[in-house]
Amino acid sequence: QVQLVESGGGSVQAGGSLRLSCAASGVTVGRWSMGWFRHLPGKEREGVAAINWFDDTAYTDSVKGRFTISRDNAKNTLYLQMNSLKPEDTAMYICAADPNYSDMGGVPDASVFSYWGQGTQVTVSS
């Protein structure tokens, strides 16, 4: 059974940093495509960053140079290091996984991913 459990969210001031974690079970993080999405009530889920099993990565334009997606295969955990946070980064951040999709020409659409976590809230104040 696949389970994705996010942690690391919180409240920070603009310019601060957070590192999100996504602990996976039933998923081999190093052999699946993994992604981070964010969601605000009333808005569509937005792809933030993704990584495939070739270590190709993709980022949405608004986070390039500030966020870094990575994984620890030994811990079977996905990370999102978020630096220089802005108020517009405020959202619920959700981890996703898929065993088949690999195209990182851009952050994949949410419909690509088969499995989802519950999310962790990030709030950035000005």
Side-chain angles (χ1 to χ4, degrees), residues 9 44 77 99 115 123:
E44 288 190 5
T77 299
Y115 301 97
T123 303

Side-chain angles (χ1 to χ4, degrees), residues 5-9 19-23 36 119-120:
V5 180
E6 302 93 335
S7 62
R19 188 178 79 155
L20 306 183
S21 299
C22 173
W36 286 100
T120 184

Side-chain angles (χ1 to χ4, degrees), residues 12-84:
V12 296
Q13 290 192 325
S17 298
L18 285 172
R19 188 178 79 155
L20 306 183
S21 299
C22 173
S25 58
V27 171
T28 305
V29 167
R31 297 180 184 175
W32 288 37
S33 282
M34 305 292 295
W36 286 100
F37 288 74
R38 59 190 179 188
H39 180 65
L40 283 171
K43 294 189 176 182
E44 288 190 5
R45 196 165 289 189
E46 178 191 23
V48 176
I51 185 168
N52 65 14
W53 53 86
F54 299 117
D55 285 339
D56 299 322
T57 58
Y59 297 89
T60 192
D61 286 346
S62 64
V63 308
K64 285 180 180 177
R66 300 189 297 123
F67 290 11
T68 303
I69 189 170
S70 65
R71 59 180 175 225
D72 184 328
N73 293 343
K75 295 182 178 180
N76 213 34
T77 299
L78 179 75
Y79 300 101
L80 185 68
Q81 178 67 44
M82 306 187 297
N83 299 327
S84 302

